[in-house]
Amino acid sequence: MLNRVILIGRLTKDPELRYTPSGVAVTQFTIAVDRPFTSQGGEREADFIPVVTWRQLAETCANYLRKGRLTAVEGRIQVRNYENNEGKRVYVTEVIADNVRFLESNREGGAGGGGQREEAAPFGGGGGGNTGRSSNLPRGNQNDPFSDDGKPIDISDDDLPF
């Protein structure tokens, strides 16, 4: 059996970070995901999907995600239920994320927003991939050989891999 979901959307508000009584971090946020079609009136519609992250990933999301930011979420769908104060059964469907990728740099341009892509690694430990937090890259474009300075790039045929 398989329960995997991948979503790309924008946060509807800043994430809410809380801690369980045992001290485990948990963050909740909602992402708006566009539907692949328009309504009869020609308007785009979206689904608003609740997302939950735990532990280190929760703290990372709380620190870096903000309302409106484009984000990719990978995880599983979970359905839980509880009885509310009126005695009615309430069902909640949410995505439990184990990987969140920040697809845009910080819009404020503050610390850490040097135009580099930031990604949050899965809480389960190194997935062997690049987490996007490479600190050995220079800030800005001072030493970037591919920065657009208005001049054409000279590439010989010997440099091409094909």
Side-chain angles (χ1 to χ4, degrees):
M1 299 202 200
L2 180 65
N3 180 358
R4 295 300 294 168
V5 62
I6 299 172
L7 303 168
I8 296 177
R10 294 195 180 274
L11 268 73
T12 61
K13 63 180 182 177
D14 290 353
E16 299 174 16
L17 175 64
R18 290 193 291 253
Y19 291 89
T20 65
S22 61
V24 177
V26 59
T27 301
Q28 294 179 309
F29 56 91
T30 301
I31 62 172
V33 179
D34 287 338
R35 291 182 178 171
F37 52 85
T38 58
S39 67
Q40 290 180 348
E43 298 175 10
R44 295 288 285 184
E45 294 182 2
D47 292 302
F48 299 91
I49 301 171
V51 178
V52 177
T53 59
W54 291 90
R55 297 175 183 78
Q56 180 63 42
L57 182 59
E59 292 176 343
T60 302
C61 288
N63 288 334
Y64 293 104
L65 285 179
R66 295 291 172 258
K67 177 181 177 177
R69 190 150 178 206
L70 188 65
T71 305
V73 172
E74 182 180 2
R76 62 184 172 82
I77 293 177
Q78 175 177 289
V79 179
R80 59 184 173 88
N81 64 74
Y82 64 93
E83 197 169 296
N84 68 8
N85 295 338
E86 300 167 359
K88 293 187 179 182
R89 179 81 38 208
V90 177
Y91 290 88
V92 178
T93 302
E94 56 201 2
V95 172
I96 307 301
D98 54 33
N99 192 4
V100 174
R101 296 189 184 268
F102 310 150
L103 301 180
E104 294 178 325
S105 62
N106 288 335
R107 292 183 180 189
E108 295 80 28
Q116 294 181 8
R117 192 169 105 173
E118 301 171 0
E119 297 176 357
F123 71 81
N130 178 10
T131 61
R133 298 194 191 286
S134 178
S135 60
N136 59 354
L137 294 175
R139 288 275 179 204
N141 289 334
Q142 301 107 349
N143 297 328
D144 185 1
F146 300 105
S147 65
D148 184 17
D149 58 359
K151 299 177 187 173
I153 299 174
D154 184 29
I155 300 176
S156 71
D157 289 341
D158 295 336
D159 293 334
L160 298 175
F162 46 91

